[in-house]
């Protein structure tokens, strides 16, 4: 009797724990977050000064630009689309912000210039994908070329320099002792997390990416949902570009080159499925921070800079492989 | 029906090419000379070789973003194993092997883990490029023996040697895609992978073969490239994947899979090469070229999908 009494209780405890663990590991960002915690532990044991607040803040400051763009691209990927134009878009927005800064100074006008430029480019992407019915990878690949061309046409190939100090505040300033880029990153994360979970558009994004046919049959505005996601990438890229301009102090014509891949790497490493419909804002943030921690950690450990890309590539492959194996083990649950 | 349609699309591309050539010959008197046209071919053969395998991969509904990085990796393997004292002949073989292994690596991830090729090749895009930078330590190797120039700088009469290699590769790719059961499998996978699986098409084998051949073709292009510029550097082939995909998609292959031809891709490669060469000769700044190429890509696919819908 007593045995019979304890066994079910124990089993219940186990299944409860099992259920909690299972539920946790079903979350899209679970592997990346676990990996991040492990890595931080390893680096703080292996490298002196890794866990210092100043180093953590410097990592977060460095990932802010990639992270902010990743938060928006995450929504596009959740829709089942992709945006690989963000590198050139960031460059163009930074040029716009830089020109506004040199012309008028101040903080808000350059920011506005960056955001408007980004929103226009994003709207063009969105219109071509939804109304033009051109696959997103082609539209944004074409825009990656075309926008870089526009940068060269606008600047005539020269740098944007002479940006006044006051316009750089978004990149190099501090609020309450914390670097502004970090604050902006976390504010935007909170906004996207809230919108993603609690707004109609946020829910539509998951529906459109998860099963487009079903979404169409229940009458969801598929085109408007995707269009807004592309515009959001433009707006966020505009904000990130202003931070970039502030940090760099000048804008080169190559600004943002290669950013598009880092952004997609962050989203995918974080656990958002490239097939759409599955993922979260936390996944994008985790992915961006994870990549930042790894690049910072290997730098502190004295790995030569030439190996950075190799580590980044290996990391992407590891993350997506773990995700694939996990999905197989879970038998397609939560996919 | 669909044969007639794809035939007419290639005719349209041919017309575009002819119009483009007429326009370019008006812009520059040097454009329509035999020596210029043959010379141009020295620059598009590398893109063209890779575009052949890319066509087949895109027809299966896949994509390979790692080709530019793989080209750099092979180039660095050839150059730096030679610099380390390996005989150049062996170094070239090592390079071809590296390219093949890199392609196989992509293929294994795509088939065994059933990952989306976009994600896999995005990862190997960074991995291969990083490996090239790591091996070369961001340094360059030149000073090859004279005979190495044979691969990328030789002429047979007025004809650049690599043009002959390209013509042979085009013939082989055309044969494989339109005259063998392998080619049928490629289209079947792109049309409906599920249906192809139930019909007994060896999907994993076909994909593995495609990504491996891509690796080998990239390696071949890399040897030609390294010989042509006489330098092995880790930043070789930056952005190459975009040119290749642009050519293939311009040639009428659908990014959704199931559609595309070798003839279309060859025309796509020629149109892009003509545009680039002609604009350079006409003195149009390179800034406009990027812009035009991007717009051209979007417009071409827009028209493609537009006609597809009508169909």
């Amino acid at each position: 009797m007593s045995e019979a009494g304890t066994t079910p209780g124990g089993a219940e405890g186990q299944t409860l724990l099992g259920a909690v663990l299972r539920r946790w590991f079903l979350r899209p960002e679970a592997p990346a977050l676990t990996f991040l915690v492990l890595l931080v532990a390893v680096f703080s044991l292996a490298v002196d000064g890794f866990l210092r607040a100043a180093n953590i803040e410097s990592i977060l400051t460095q990932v802010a630009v990639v992270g902010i763009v990743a938060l928006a691209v995450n929504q596009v990927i959740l829709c089942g689309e992709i945006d690989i134009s963000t590198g050139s878009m960031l460059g163009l927005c930074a040029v716009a912000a830089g020109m506004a800064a040199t012309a008028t100074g101040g903080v808000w006008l350059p920011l506005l210039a960056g955001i408007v430029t980004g929103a226009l480019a994003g709207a063009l992407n969105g219109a071509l994908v939804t109304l033009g019915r051109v696959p997103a990878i082609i539209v944004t690949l074409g825009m990656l070329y075309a926008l870089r061309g526009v940068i060269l046409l606008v600047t005539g190939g020269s740098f944007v320099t002479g940006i006044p100090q006051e316009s750089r505040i978004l990149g190099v300033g501090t609020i309450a002792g914390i670097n502004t880029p970090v604050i902006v990153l976390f504010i935007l994360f909170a906004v996207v997390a809230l919108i993603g979970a609690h707004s109609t558009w946020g829910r539509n994004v998951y529906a459109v990416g998860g099963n487009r046919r079903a979404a169409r049959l229940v009458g969801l505005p598929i085109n408007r949902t995707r269009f807004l996601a592309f515009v959001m990438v433009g707006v966020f890229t505009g904000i990130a570009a202003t931070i970039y301009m502030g940090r760099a102090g000048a804008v080169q014509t190559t600004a943002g080159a290669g950013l598009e891949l880092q952004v997609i790497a962050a989203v995918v490493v974080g656990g958002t499925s490239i097939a759409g419909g599955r993922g979260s804002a936390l996944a994008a943030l985790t992915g961006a921070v994870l990549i930042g921690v790894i690049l910072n950690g290997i730098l502190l450990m004295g790995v030569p800079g030439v190996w950075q890309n190799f580590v980044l590539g290996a990391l992407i492959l590891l993350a997506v492989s773990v995700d694939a194996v996990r999905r197989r083990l879970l038998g397609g649950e939560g996919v | 029906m669909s044969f007639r349609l794809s035939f007419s699309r290639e005719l349209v591309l041919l017309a575009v090419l002819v119009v483009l050539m007429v326009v370019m010959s008006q812009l520059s008197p040097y454009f329509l000379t035999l020596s210029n046209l043959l010379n141009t071919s020295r620059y598009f053969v590398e893109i063209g070789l890779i575009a052949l395998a890319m066509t087949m991969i895109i027809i299966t509904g896949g994509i390979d973003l790692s080709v530019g990085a793989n080209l750099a990796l092979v180039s660095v393997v050839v150059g730096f194993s030679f610099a380390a004292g390996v005989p150049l002949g062996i170094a070239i073989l090592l390079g071809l092997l590296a390219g093949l292994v890199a392609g196989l690596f992509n293929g294994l991830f795509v088939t065994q883990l059933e990952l989306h090729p976009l994600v896999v090749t995005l990862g190997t895009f960074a991995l291969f490029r990083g490996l090239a930078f790591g091996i070369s330590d961001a340094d360059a190797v030149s000073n090859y023996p004279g005979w190495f120039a044979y691969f990328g700088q030789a002429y047979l009469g007025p004809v650049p040697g690599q043009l002959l290699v390209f013509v042979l590769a085009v013939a082989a790719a055309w044969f494989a895609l339109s005259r063998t059961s392998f080619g049928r499998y490629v289209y079947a996978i792109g049309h409906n992978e599920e249906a192809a699986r139930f019909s007994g098409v060896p999907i994993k084998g076909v994909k593995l073969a495609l990504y491996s051949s891509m690796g080998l073709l990239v390696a071949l292009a890399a040897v030609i490239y390294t010989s042509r510029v006489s330098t092995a550097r880790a930043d070789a082939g930056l952005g190459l994947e975009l040119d290749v995909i642009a050519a293939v998609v311009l040639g009428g292959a659908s990014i959704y899979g199931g559609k595309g031809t070798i003839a279309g891709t060859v025309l796509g490669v020629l149109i892009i090469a003509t545009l680039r060469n002609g604009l350079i000769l006409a003195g149009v700044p390179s800034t406009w070229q990027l812009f035009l190429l991007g717009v051209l890509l979007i417009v071409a696919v827009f028209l493609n999908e537009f006609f597809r819908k009508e169909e």
Side-chain angles (χ1 to χ4, degrees):
Chain A
M1 279 301 275
S2 67
E3 280 170 25
T6 51
T7 315
E12 199 173 76
Q14 269 172 14
T15 48
L16 188 65
L17 184 67
V20 168
L21 273 178
R22 204 176 162 77
R23 219 179 135 70
W24 157 244
F25 273 105
L26 277 174
R27 292 199 54 82
E29 66 276 358
L33 259 180
T34 313
F35 194 42
L36 179 61
V37 170
L38 281 176
L39 212 61
V40 167
V42 169
F43 278 144
S44 42
L45 288 176
V47 184
D48 248 2
F50 177 83
L51 213 54
R52 273 209 320 263
N55 190 45
I56 299 292
E57 191 181 5
S58 118
I59 293 176
L60 290 175
T61 310
Q62 274 162 27
V63 300
V65 168
V66 170
I68 288 168
V69 180
L71 283 170
V73 169
N74 189 51
Q75 295 299 110
V76 167
I77 291 180
L78 282 176
C79 285
E81 302 291 347
I82 196 156
D83 191 338
I84 54 174
S85 68
T86 53
S88 301
M89 199 190 281
L90 184 107
L92 186 62
C93 293
V95 166
M99 285 181 159
T102 46
T104 65
V107 181
W108 298 109
L109 211 65
L111 179 63
L112 192 67
I115 289 177
V116 169
T117 308
L120 285 175
L124 189 56
N125 276 337
L128 284 165
V129 170
T130 55
L131 300 177
R133 299 184 187 217
V134 183
I137 185 166
I138 299 297
V139 168
T140 55
L141 186 63
M143 288 286 272
L144 186 70
Y145 277 118
L147 292 181
R148 186 65 63 188
V150 173
I151 292 172
L152 294 166
L153 290 173
V154 171
T155 61
S158 53
F159 295 5
V160 180
T161 50
I163 293 163
Q165 199 62 30
E166 54 173 31
S167 303
R168 297 179 55 193
I169 283 177
L170 214 52
V172 293
T174 54
I175 297 173
I178 300 171
N179 290 346
T180 325
V182 180
I183 303 225
V184 175
L185 173 65
F186 279 97
I187 289 176
L188 290 179
F189 163 69
V191 168
V192 179
L194 274 177
I195 290 178
H198 298 293
S199 76
T200 317
W201 176 72
R203 305 312 303 167
N204 286 352
V205 162
Y206 283 94
V208 167
N211 189 335
R212 189 162 299 172
R213 185 171 295 179
R216 179 170 296 128
L217 288 176
V218 296
L220 295 181
I222 294 173
N223 279 352
R224 199 173 69 207
T225 305
R226 292 187 294 160
F227 180 79
L228 284 176
F230 280 105
V231 174
M232 182 179 177
V233 171
V235 170
F236 276 45
T237 304
I239 298 171
T242 316
I243 291 178
Y244 173 94
M245 175 204 76
R247 276 169 56 76
V251 184
Q252 304 183 18
T253 53
T254 54
L259 177 88
E260 62 282 353
L261 293 174
Q262 285 181 45
V263 166
I264 292 167
V267 171
V268 173
V269 165
T272 292
S273 163
I274 198 80
R278 183 173 171 276
S280 67
L282 184 56
L285 183 68
T286 307
V289 174
L290 184 57
I291 288 174
V293 164
I294 287 179
L295 292 183
N296 178 272
I298 61 172
L299 207 67
L300 289 183
M301 284 173 86
V303 176
V306 287
W307 287 101
Q308 279 196 9
N309 255 325
F310 179 77
V311 174
L312 189 63
L315 180 77
I316 298 173
L317 291 174
L318 183 72
V320 294
S321 305
V322 166
D323 190 49
V325 170
R326 184 181 61 123
R327 265 181 304 173
R328 197 167 295 177
L329 290 180
L330 292 170
E333 260 184 90
V335 172
Chain B
M1 184 62 191
S2 82
F3 177 78
R4 257 198 0 234
L5 262 170
S6 70
F7 176 74
S8 70
R9 173 169 301 150
E10 277 138 28
L11 219 57
V12 170
L13 284 172
L14 196 61
V16 169
L17 182 61
V18 169
V19 169
L20 216 54
M21 288 185 131
V22 170
V23 171
M24 293 304 171
S25 64
Q26 294 304 308
L27 287 176
S28 160
Y30 298 105
F31 178 79
L32 214 58
T33 56
L34 188 66
S35 66
N36 177 54
L37 291 182
L38 285 172
N39 246 322
T40 312
S41 72
R42 290 182 58 206
Y43 301 96
F44 71 68
V45 162
E46 291 136 26
I47 290 175
L49 283 173
I50 299 170
L52 295 176
M54 188 71 88
T55 307
M56 297 197 206
I57 286 179
I58 285 182
I59 291 174
T60 64
I63 198 154
D64 190 344
L65 296 177
S66 71
V67 290
N70 193 7
L71 182 119
L73 178 61
V74 173
S75 180
V76 161
V77 165
V78 172
F80 281 79
S81 53
F82 170 67
V86 178
L88 187 54
I90 309 284
I92 291 171
L93 286 180
L94 277 179
L96 293 177
L97 188 68
L100 181 65
V101 169
L104 188 67
F105 188 78
N106 279 333
L108 283 174
F109 267 93
V110 170
T111 56
Q112 298 311 308
L113 287 172
E114 291 172 15
L115 286 165
H116 196 292
L118 188 71
V119 185
V120 173
T121 58
L122 196 64
T124 52
F125 171 94
L127 191 80
F128 298 159
R129 179 78 62 192
L131 206 53
F133 268 105
I135 292 172
S136 68
D137 204 13
D139 208 351
V141 169
S142 317
N143 296 331
Y144 299 98
W147 65 267
F148 185 56
Y150 182 77
F151 293 99
Q153 300 176 26
Y155 283 87
L156 298 160
V159 184
Q162 59 261 55
L163 188 58
L164 294 180
V165 175
F166 183 56
V167 170
L168 283 178
V170 167
W174 172 82
F175 183 80
L177 194 57
S178 52
R179 289 291 178 273
T180 66
S181 52
F182 178 81
R184 297 253 174 278
Y185 291 160
V186 169
Y187 283 106
I189 292 172
H191 273 300
N192 189 337
E193 190 163 332
E194 198 82 352
R197 179 174 296 123
F198 287 124
S199 319
V201 172
I203 292 177
K204 289 189 175 178
V206 171
K207 286 189 178 173
L208 216 50
L210 281 180
Y211 285 94
S212 306
S213 336
M214 172 61 106
L216 200 57
L217 273 174
V218 171
L220 190 61
V223 171
I224 292 173
Y225 170 85
T226 311
S227 164
R228 177 164 69 79
V229 301
S230 299
T231 312
R233 285 166 61 110
D235 59 1
L238 266 181
L240 181 75
E241 57 283 348
L242 303 185
D243 276 346
V244 171
I245 293 169
V248 172
V249 167
L250 193 64
S254 166
I255 208 84
Y256 294 126
K259 204 163 189 127
T261 60
I262 293 298
T265 292
V266 171
L267 286 168
V269 170
L270 291 178
I271 288 175
I272 286 186
T274 304
L275 203 63
R276 288 215 159 197
N277 174 257
L279 291 177
I280 291 171
L281 282 184
V284 175
S286 60
T287 54
W288 275 102
Q289 291 178 37
L290 269 184
F291 181 73
L292 285 175
L293 204 60
V295 172
L296 182 76
L297 179 65
I298 295 175
V299 169
V301 177
F302 173 73
L303 292 177
N304 258 354
E305 299 302 325
F306 186 74
F307 285 122
R308 206 170 123 99
K309 212 178 62 187
E310 298 294 302
E311 188 184 322

